[in-house]
Amino acid sequence: MAVEARPELVGKRFLCVSGEEPLELGEIGRWGWRAGVIRAVTHRDNDNPELTVYVEFDDLEWEKREWVKVYEDFQIFLLEHQLVWAKRKESAQVQGTKAKQIQWPALTFKPLVGKAVLGSIAAVEFFSDRQLDFLTDDGRISPTRTKWTA
């Protein structure tokens, strides 16, 4: 059974890209990605064009939180969506051996802004080191399955 995504924004992780330059999909890993956590919102409706969120960026001290306008300040704004197992290449391997792909726990993101730019590419953030990866092969991501016992 896959776990449902929470509808509210507060407390969710996000990924974003700002700027005016056109984004080239082939260079997605080199875009100016920033990540963080949403701490407050001005509207409950995610589609409101005036949606403003109070964010805490991972690369800044918590005292430097700021209000940002989601639909004005960013070309891409992705929201935490689902816990998954995602394949990534093992970084430490013996030279000359085949790259082994194992599944790691990760978080996927869904677009709030920039859906047309990303198309079918899924952004994932691995829990172990918060490394971002962008996957196009559906076979590399599988939803977590939870069995609840009494």
Side-chain angles (χ1 to χ4, degrees):
M1 166 174 108
V3 179
E4 292 290 322
R6 296 176 300 152
E8 68 275 357
L9 296 181
V10 175
K12 283 192 174 185
R13 287 196 55 72
F14 69 88
L15 300 173
C16 63
V17 177
S18 58
E20 299 291 324
E21 296 179 25
L23 300 174
E24 302 221 10
L25 202 52
E27 301 289 321
I28 193 169
R30 294 191 181 129
W31 296 353
W33 289 101
R34 291 186 77 189
V37 178
I38 297 171
R39 297 299 182 194
V41 296
T42 56
H43 298 85
R44 286 183 174 240
D45 178 12
N46 298 351
D47 297 324
N48 187 318
E50 295 180 13
L51 177 65
T52 304
V53 295
Y54 193 52
V55 298
E56 183 177 317
F57 287 106
D58 290 347
D59 60 349
L60 295 176
E61 297 175 16
W62 70 269
E63 294 98 346
K64 297 190 179 182
R65 296 176 184 169
E66 60 184 279
W67 286 98
V68 294
K69 294 183 177 188
V70 173
Y71 291 100
E72 291 179 24
D73 296 343
F74 301 103
Q75 290 188 59
I76 306 285
F77 196 90
L78 309 178
L79 294 173
E80 159 189 323
H81 179 60
Q82 187 177 28
L83 296 173
V84 296
W85 292 101
K87 292 181 182 177
R88 70 190 276 187
K89 290 183 180 176
E90 185 61 46
S91 58
Q93 59 180 328
V94 178
Q95 186 176 9
T97 62
K98 200 172 196 178
K100 180 181 178 184
Q101 297 223 335
I102 59 173
Q103 290 188 322
W104 291 75
L107 191 59
T108 59
F109 293 80
K110 67 177 182 177
L112 188 59
V113 176
K115 189 174 193 174
V117 175
L118 294 176
S120 63
I121 294 176
V124 297
E125 180 182 60
F126 293 98
F127 284 119
S128 61
D129 56 7
R130 288 197 173 164
Q131 178 183 333
L132 290 179
D133 200 356
F134 303 93
L135 308 176
T136 55
D137 181 11
D138 292 334
R140 293 183 59 191
I141 299 174
S142 55
T144 57
R145 307 225 183 266
T146 306
K147 284 187 177 181
W148 299 99
T149 57

